[in-house]
Amino acid sequence: VQLQASGGGLVQAGGSLRLSCAASGRTFSNYVIAWFRQAPGNEREFVAAISRSSGSTIYGDRVKDRFTISRDNAENTVYLEMNRLKPEDTAVFCCAAAMSSAIVLGRQHRRGSTYTDWGQGTQVTVSS
């Protein structure tokens, strides 16, 4: 599946952004979709993932209670709503896909190696 992330930009601390990940090429509803991010000099960090039917979502510790992942299978799109943004959220955000029948997401869905298809990143910059 081909993925295209968008929606990044510059925002002040405390603000909000919504990222989109549009998919094409395969049956979107067969895939678990995740967001990862990477800041300069840092390792790639898991942000959030959502199961095929939206029944299960998981979040990284640093974003839970601030970020919300959702999907619209009719539109082949996954969203990441980011609220109360902090300067430490500044990073390139990427979406990734893994074909999976998992109903409940687990530890493996936090690992980048689980995902086979990756989109290009979108830059999020949070100013203090």
Side-chain angles (χ1 to χ4, degrees):
V1 65
Q2 289 77 47
L3 303 172
Q4 178 84 29
S6 62
L10 174 64
V11 63
Q12 287 189 330
S16 298
L17 278 175
R18 188 176 80 157
L19 304 184
S20 298
C21 175
S24 62
R26 293 289 180 96
T27 305
F28 179 68
S29 59
N30 287 342
Y31 290 83
V32 169
I33 305 295
W35 286 96
F36 289 81
R37 67 184 181 183
Q38 188 165 19
N42 290 0
E43 293 185 354
R44 184 173 59 196
E45 177 186 10
F46 170 76
V47 175
I50 188 165
S51 64
R52 302 192 315 178
S53 63
S54 304
S56 178
T57 57
I58 53 175
Y59 294 91
D61 288 342
R62 298 209 297 158
V63 306
K64 62 184 179 182
D65 300 327
R66 297 188 298 124
F67 291 9
T68 301
I69 190 170
S70 61
R71 69 190 293 162
D72 183 340
N73 285 345
E75 296 293 329
N76 288 357
T77 303
V78 166
Y79 303 99
L80 185 68
E81 186 74 35
M82 305 186 295
N83 298 314
R84 305 198 309 276
L85 283 161
K86 306 175 182 179
E88 51 263 43
D89 292 318
T90 295
V92 175
F93 283 69
C94 295
C95 53
M99 186 175 287
S100 172
S101 59
I103 296 174
V104 177
L105 300 182
R107 191 178 306 172
Q108 71 273 23
H109 296 103
R110 299 176 180 270
R111 294 195 292 262
S113 58
T114 295
Y115 298 88
T116 55
D117 301 302
W118 291 78
Q120 93 299 343
T122 186
Q123 176 71 46
V124 172
T125 303
V126 184
S127 63
S128 57

